[in-house]
Amino acid sequence: MKTCAKCLFLALAIWIHEIHAEIYFWKDAKGTSHYSDRPLVGADSISVQPGYAFYRIKKVFDGDTVLLDDDTKVRLLGINTPEVENSKNEEEPIAEEAKKYLQSLIAGKKVRLETDAVKYDKYQRKLAHLFTEDGVHLNLKLVEQGLASVNIHPPNLLHLERLIQAQQTAEKQSIGIWGENDYQPRPIEKLRESRRGWQRLVGKPQTIKEGRKFTRLQFSDNINVRIPKDNLTYFPDLHVYLDKNVEVRGWISKRKEEYSILIRHPSALILGQSPSSLFGNSNRSEAEPD
């Protein structure tokens, strides 16, 4: 009976960790232990401190993608680092530095994962923030060193403010990508001459165009920023961007003669010199670790 009670307790402990409920404990007249998720007269509330699973990293693919020792492929949440050389792309500037820095952070250490609302991307990579046993936040450290840019995909907004603050500091110090010529802002009208990959482009949106799935900030007839309608809640009124200098951070896609940049969060649209005022509509506080 005691063994069964212990099993029930462990099962409930896992359950309350996921949904933040409580466990209640009592003994009956025969001295048998009981556990429940429902409060009962005479039952005591138990405080449970769940542990974390730690993993070794078997392989570092680049600055933002790793393979755990259980063969889970993990994409670091909230950031993007330059691409290393592969069959499809040439190596981007700072890519090797980001990869080596991540390797140095995890050398001889294990990591735990913090996931958010969406746990896998379209490539079936697990999305997570990684922390070492001594509490080092790997995603954040890469941003602090200027080796990663902030890349937010709502509803995954965990650690948003910390990441943005770290990026602003690294940018002011012109370290990493922020001091690299290849990553300096370019006029958006010259995007046809721009290299591939993540870019910074500056221009003045002229109009707002509504579509079925996207709302577009039109910089010209064939250049636009498209925002998924489901994500508009995170943005200020888009009219605030019109006819003002806006830096767009992202990847260019081309369809026929139309150039477009997909933006999911206002952290990728920098208005003037005061971007922090645009981040007030995140509508989500930092979640508890999984």
Side-chain angles (χ1 to χ4, degrees):
M1 188 61 132
K2 290 183 178 179
T3 301
C4 292
K6 288 180 179 178
C7 292
L8 175 59
F9 173 77
L10 290 173
L12 284 170
I14 294 171
W15 180 76
I16 65 128
H17 176 45
E18 292 295 331
I19 67 171
H20 313 297
E22 292 188 54
I23 291 179
Y24 297 90
F25 164 78
W26 74 96
K27 288 186 177 181
D28 61 23
K30 296 181 179 179
T32 303
S33 298
H34 298 272
Y35 300 93
S36 174
D37 61 306
R38 297 182 181 182
L40 297 171
V41 176
D44 295 321
S45 176
I46 299 177
S47 176
V48 178
Q49 301 296 328
Y52 297 106
F54 283 89
Y55 306 86
R56 291 202 181 275
I57 293 179
K58 185 160 64 173
K59 183 176 181 179
V60 175
F61 294 99
D62 55 26
D64 56 34
T65 310
V66 301
L67 185 69
L68 303 182
D69 55 8
D70 67 351
D71 289 328
T72 300
K73 198 170 186 179
V74 179
R75 175 65 164 78
L76 275 64
L77 257 177
I79 69 170
N80 176 72
T81 61
E83 298 294 329
V84 297
E85 184 178 5
N86 55 47
S87 59
K88 297 181 179 179
N89 301 304
E90 296 181 359
E91 182 171 305
E92 297 176 351
I94 308 294
E96 195 61 30
E97 288 92 327
K99 179 179 178 179
K100 288 181 178 179
Y101 183 68
L102 181 56
Q103 288 172 326
S104 71
L105 291 175
I106 55 95
K109 297 181 180 179
K110 294 181 180 180
V111 299
R112 68 175 174 88
L113 280 60
E114 281 189 12
T115 57
D116 207 342
V118 178
K119 293 178 171 54
Y120 292 90
D121 65 11
K122 63 182 180 181
Y123 305 109
Q124 292 306 302
R125 298 177 298 186
K126 194 160 192 176
L127 302 171
H129 290 268
L130 297 186
F131 291 80
T132 62
E133 295 165 289
D134 50 355
V136 176
H137 186 182
L138 303 183
N139 312 50
L140 183 63
K141 291 293 290 184
L142 285 157
V143 176
E144 288 176 342
Q145 297 301 313
L147 300 174
S149 59
V150 172
N151 185 31
I152 303 298
H153 287 217
N156 286 349
L157 302 174
L158 191 61
H159 302 298
L160 170 65
E161 287 78 15
R162 294 177 189 172
L163 292 171
I164 289 173
Q165 290 171 7
Q167 177 170 274
Q168 290 174 347
T169 300
E171 189 172 353
K172 287 178 182 177
Q173 296 173 348
S174 297
I175 59 176
I177 60 176
W178 310 108
E180 179 71 31
N181 286 336
D182 289 271
Y183 298 111
Q184 297 311 300
R186 307 166 186 261
I188 200 166
E189 295 81 7
K190 295 185 177 180
L191 85 176
R192 300 169 189 79
E193 305 168 13
S194 301
R195 61 175 181 80
R196 297 180 64 183
W198 182 85
Q199 299 185 47
R200 302 167 65 193
L201 300 162
V202 177
K204 291 185 177 182
Q206 301 300 309
T207 60
I208 297 171
K209 183 178 179 181
E210 298 290 346
R212 186 167 60 89
K213 294 183 178 180
F214 299 96
T215 298
R216 287 175 166 80
L217 286 171
Q218 294 288 152
F219 288 78
S220 67
D221 289 342
N222 66 337
I223 300 175
N224 66 73
V225 161
R226 69 187 192 280
I227 302 168
K229 285 187 174 292
D230 290 344
N231 289 26
L232 286 174
T233 183
Y234 302 104
F235 288 77
D237 184 337
L238 296 185
H239 288 85
V240 73
Y241 298 108
L242 293 183
D243 204 33
K244 295 185 176 68
N245 284 320
V246 177
E247 180 182 323
V248 184
R249 297 174 177 178
W251 292 262
I252 298 169
S253 62
K254 181 183 178 183
R255 184 177 181 182
K256 296 182 179 179
E257 292 304 315
E258 180 181 352
Y259 296 84
S260 183
I261 303 172
L262 175 62
I263 299 298
R264 297 180 176 89
H265 188 268
S267 54
L269 290 179
I270 311 301
L271 179 63
Q273 299 299 316
S274 302
S276 60
S277 63
L278 300 182
F279 304 145
N281 288 333
S282 61
N283 294 331
R284 177 180 169 93
S285 60
E286 291 188 358
E288 292 296 322
D290 281 355

